[in-house]
């Protein structure tokens, strides 16, 4: 099969694809085996999971190296998703426990039912950036208790999952082809800015005139494991806490950016360890947590805010329940109806975009009708997530690309990663509570840097693309920040259609 056309792929994935291209030329026979395996498994409909499992077992028995790649990649992906799941949960205004369970449910069912095995799903920044409006203190439900706002968020995800299931059954995902590349660029730029803005809360502390207790709600509100704090002020430059937080942010960013550049191997006797064994996000969590606990808290007695200061990991498995909301109220549907449609649209756009990219990575061409399985898989995952007290997500382009680069081509890697996430939240919750919030901020700052299309400024000043596309990128980016991502995409498609008709 020919090498994918790299020029047609977003610049965010090109570094990964360059590495994949080098690997494919070195591996040779193993690469051909994986290509045949990818084609054979991708052509099997997700409705044939029984025969798929039998064929997978036979393949792994005769190809133990591929089985090793699946297991190691699943473990690596799970470690990568832990810090991002916790970070995105704060962006969405929900507890880290709910964020981790979201990654478990959407990752499990998204990985099992996807039409292209190996695609990784989890709680996504594009969706929580919209869901934040429902759970935040300054949103349309800001005058209500946090527990009630979270139930509304579950209801939004429940209706969103129904919409995604209907979209899949009606074969509507094939219309993703009408979304131009300029709209996609504006979408990613707007998402980057929204995630960046959400991280600025890490540089705020409770107001000096307010007590820690009851910052957000009065005594009549029920107790929850996590409550977004209000009455906060910006940190001052003359405060020691400001520089402690900044140091952790910059150290986290440096580790995430620099560790992948280390090409040497650490040799201990006959054992050789590469820097790629531990994901850089996990390394950042370990290093900065030790710094915060051993130096700032114990040695200097100047603790920095940690996850445990805002949320508690109970370790209890979630219980199924229908969101406790007034289903027959008109105001309820004015909120839930609007946000559920927006979330369904944004989640499907990001999932189908990643699905198209993934086919180029593994050199598999699927029929356009198979895109319906992506909508169905996301709908099922979000449905279970909403019924088990967590928010949903979508396919994640970064983790999916890395999973394929690790040699994973089946559903074993994604299934294993989901259960490792479940193990983390039920067993290692006390450890996760020690992680500084500023660590998550530094990790997401790197995500913002990698997501934003910096070549946009080249387009603006050199006009290397048509003026209409430049206007499209700017228009979608601005509307995404001012309004929301879904409306920005719709307006961008409408504007592009007008320009096309004019030409």
């Amino acid at each position: 099969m020919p090498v994918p056309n790299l020029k047609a792929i977003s610049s965010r994935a090109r570094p990964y694809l360059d590495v994949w291209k080098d690997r494919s030329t070195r591996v040779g026979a193993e690469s051909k085996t994986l290509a045949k395996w990818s084609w054979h498994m991708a052509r099997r409909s997700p409705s044939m999971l029984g025969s798929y499992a039998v064929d997978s077992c036979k393949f792994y028995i005769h190809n133990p190296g591929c089985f090793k790649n699946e297991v190691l990649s699943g473990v690596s992906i799970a470690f990568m998703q832990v810090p991002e799941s916790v970070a995105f949960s704060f962006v969405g205004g929900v507890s880290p426990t709910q964020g981790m369970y979201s990654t478990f449910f959407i990752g499990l069912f998204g990985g099992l039912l996807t039409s292209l095995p190996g695609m990784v799903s989890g709680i996504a920044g594009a969706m929580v950036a919209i869901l934040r409006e429902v759970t935040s203190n300054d949103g349309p439900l800001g005058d209500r208790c946090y527990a009630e706002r979270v139930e509304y968020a579950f209801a939004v995800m429940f209706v969103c999952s129904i919409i995604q299931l209907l979209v899949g059954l009606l074969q509507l995902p094939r219309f993703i082809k009408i979304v131009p590349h300029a709209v996609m660029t504006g979408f990613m730029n707007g998402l980057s800015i929204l995630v960046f803005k959400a991280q600025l809360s890490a540089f705020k502390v409770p107001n000096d005139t307010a007590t820690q207790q009851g910052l957000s709600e009065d005594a009549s509100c029920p107790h929850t494991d996590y409550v977004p704090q209000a009455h906060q002020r910006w940190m001052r430059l003359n405060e020691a806490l400001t520089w402690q937080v900044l140091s952790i942010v910059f150290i986290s960013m440096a580790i995430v950016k620099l560790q992948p550049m280390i090409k040497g191997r650490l040799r201990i006797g006959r054992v050789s360890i590469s820097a790629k064994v531990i994901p850089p996000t996990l390394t950042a969590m370990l290093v900065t947590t030790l710094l915060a606990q051993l130096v700032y808290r114990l040695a200097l007695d100047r603790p920095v805010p940690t996850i445990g200061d805002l949320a508690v990991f109970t370790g209890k498995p979630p219980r199924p329940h229908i969101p406790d909301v007034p289903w027959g109220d008109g105001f309820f549907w004015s909120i839930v109806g609007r946000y559920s449609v927006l979330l369904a649209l944004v989640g499907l756009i990001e999932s189908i975009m990643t699905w198209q990219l993934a086919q180029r990575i593994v050199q598999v061409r699927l029929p356009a009708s198979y895109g319906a399985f992506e909508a169905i898989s996301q709908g099922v995952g979000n449905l279970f997530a909403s019924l088990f007290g967590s928010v949903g997500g979508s396919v994640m382009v970064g983790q999916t690309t890395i999973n394929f680069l690790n040699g994973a081509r089946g559903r074993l890697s994604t299934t294993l990663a989901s259960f490792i996430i479940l193990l983390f939240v039920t067993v290692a919750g006390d450890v996760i509570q020690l992680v500084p919030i500023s660590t998550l901020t530094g990790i997401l700052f790197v995500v913002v840097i990698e997501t934003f299309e910096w070549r946009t400024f080249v387009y603006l000043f050199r006009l290397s693309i048509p003026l209409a596309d430049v206007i499209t990128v700017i228009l979608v980016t601005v509307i995404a920040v001012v309004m929301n991502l879904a409306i920005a995409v719709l307006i961008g498609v409408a504007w592009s259609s007008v320009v096309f008709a004019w030409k």
Side-chain angles (χ1 to χ4, degrees):
M1 295 183 179
V3 176
N5 182 11
L6 302 185
K7 295 182 179 179
I9 300 176
S10 173
S11 60
R12 297 185 301 114
R14 286 179 185 170
Y16 300 116
L17 293 176
D18 290 339
V19 175
W20 167 81
K21 187 177 179 181
D22 294 338
R23 288 184 182 180
S24 64
T25 56
R26 293 197 311 266
V27 175
E30 182 180 354
S31 177
K32 293 181 180 179
T33 302
L34 288 177
K36 293 180 180 179
W37 167 247
S38 302
W39 174 254
H40 176 65
M41 290 294 101
R43 297 293 295 185
R44 306 297 293 272
S45 170
S47 60
M48 304 168 62
L49 286 178
S51 60
Y52 179 94
V54 174
D55 291 344
S56 298
C57 292
K58 294 180 180 178
F59 176 80
Y60 291 139
I61 291 174
H62 294 90
N63 299 273
C66 294
F67 177 79
K68 179 199 68 174
N69 292 338
E70 291 280 341
V71 173
L72 294 181
S73 182
V75 174
S76 176
I77 292 299
F79 277 104
M80 289 182 59
Q81 287 186 295
V82 169
E84 290 192 5
S85 298
V86 176
F88 282 136
S89 65
F90 283 120
V91 174
V94 296
S95 72
T97 304
Q98 293 166 336
M100 296 277 281
Y101 279 129
S102 300
T103 298
F104 165 69
F105 283 111
I106 189 65
L108 177 63
F109 291 100
L112 287 176
L113 301 179
T114 179
S115 61
L116 186 61
M119 292 182 62
V120 181
S121 300
I123 183 173
M127 299 189 73
V128 296
I130 295 178
L131 197 65
R132 180 183 178 86
E133 299 180 20
V134 180
T135 60
S136 64
N137 295 322
D138 53 356
L141 302 173
D143 58 336
R144 308 197 179 193
C145 295
Y146 172 73
E148 184 176 358
R149 281 179 266 156
V150 172
E151 291 296 325
Y152 267 77
F154 298 156
V156 167
M157 292 309 307
F158 178 82
V159 179
C160 169
S161 65
I162 301 300
I163 295 175
Q164 290 179 328
L165 288 173
L166 292 176
V167 169
L169 294 175
L170 295 175
Q171 299 281 324
L172 298 181
R174 63 179 63 195
F175 289 107
I176 192 66
K177 295 180 180 180
I178 68 175
V179 181
H181 180 72
V183 175
M184 298 296 187
T185 301
F187 175 87
M188 301 310 302
N189 290 348
L191 171 62
S192 303
I193 297 174
L194 290 175
V195 173
F196 174 79
K197 289 175 60 179
Q199 296 311 300
L200 297 180
S201 59
F203 301 98
K204 292 183 178 181
V205 293
N207 198 328
D208 297 335
T209 60
T211 60
Q212 180 69 20
Q213 184 177 5
L215 282 174
S216 299
E217 303 180 311
D218 54 35
S220 62
C221 292
H223 173 74
T224 58
D225 294 333
Y226 168 73
V227 177
Q229 294 185 345
H231 306 290
Q232 293 182 310
R233 63 169 178 82
W234 292 102
M235 295 179 181
R236 304 185 181 96
L237 291 178
N238 58 355
E239 293 177 335
L241 179 61
T242 305
W243 298 102
Q244 293 174 214
V245 169
L246 286 174
S247 65
I248 293 178
V249 170
F250 287 124
I251 291 175
S252 302
M253 295 179 65
I255 293 175
V256 175
K257 290 291 292 183
L258 298 179
Q259 180 177 329
M261 300 180 184
I262 300 177
K263 298 182 179 180
R265 302 178 67 91
L266 176 63
R267 297 187 179 275
I268 304 177
R270 296 183 178 181
V271 180
S272 177
I273 302 176
S274 171
K276 298 179 181 179
V277 172
I278 302 179
T281 53
L282 181 62
T283 304
M285 286 183 62
L286 294 176
V287 172
T288 55
T289 299
L290 291 175
L291 173 64
Q293 298 299 326
L294 299 181
V295 179
Y296 291 150
R297 184 178 293 273
L298 295 180
L300 301 179
D301 194 21
R302 292 178 178 177
V304 296
T306 62
I307 295 175
D309 296 331
L310 296 181
V312 178
F313 278 83
T314 59
K316 299 179 181 179
R319 295 181 178 179
H321 82 290
I322 298 177
D324 186 13
V325 292
W327 292 96
D329 184 54
F331 175 77
F332 163 80
W333 284 108
S334 67
I335 299 296
V336 173
R338 175 179 52 173
Y339 286 104
S340 59
V341 172
L342 297 179
L343 284 170
L345 178 62
V346 169
L348 290 175
I349 289 176
E350 189 167 19
S351 298
I352 300 300
M353 284 170 52
T354 308
W355 180 68
Q356 293 175 327
L357 171 64
Q359 293 182 61
R360 295 170 179 172
I361 298 176
V362 299
Q363 304 184 68
V364 170
R365 185 179 180 86
L366 296 175
S369 59
Y370 271 48
F373 285 111
E374 301 310 310
I376 294 175
S377 65
Q378 299 305 306
V380 173
N382 287 326
L383 178 63
F384 275 85
S386 62
L387 292 178
F388 280 86
S390 57
V391 295
S394 63
V395 178
M396 310 184 75
V397 59
Q399 285 80 352
T400 297
T401 306
I402 293 175
N403 193 38
F404 286 137
L405 294 181
N406 290 337
R409 295 294 186 272
R411 305 183 196 274
L412 177 61
S413 59
T414 54
T415 304
L416 179 62
S418 299
F419 281 104
I420 293 177
I421 291 290
L422 181 63
L423 183 66
F424 271 121
V425 72
T426 55
V427 177
D430 293 337
V431 177
I432 297 177
Q433 289 181 146
L434 301 176
V435 178
I437 296 176
S438 46
T439 300
L440 308 178
T441 300
I443 293 173
L444 285 184
F445 277 170
V446 177
V447 173
V448 169
I449 294 173
E450 297 294 335
T451 303
F452 192 88
E453 286 278 7
W454 295 102
R455 291 191 301 170
T456 303
F457 297 106
V458 178
Y459 301 153
L460 294 179
F461 294 107
R462 294 185 180 180
L463 291 179
S464 55
I465 63 175
L467 180 61
D469 289 345
V470 174
I471 297 175
T472 302
V473 172
I474 298 175
L475 181 66
V476 175
T477 301
V478 173
I479 295 177
V481 175
V482 175
M483 301 180 70
N484 60 62
L485 293 165
I487 294 179
V489 172
L490 293 176
I491 294 179
V493 171
W495 162 256
S496 300
S497 302
V498 171
V499 172
F500 178 77
W502 179 268
K503 290 181 180 180

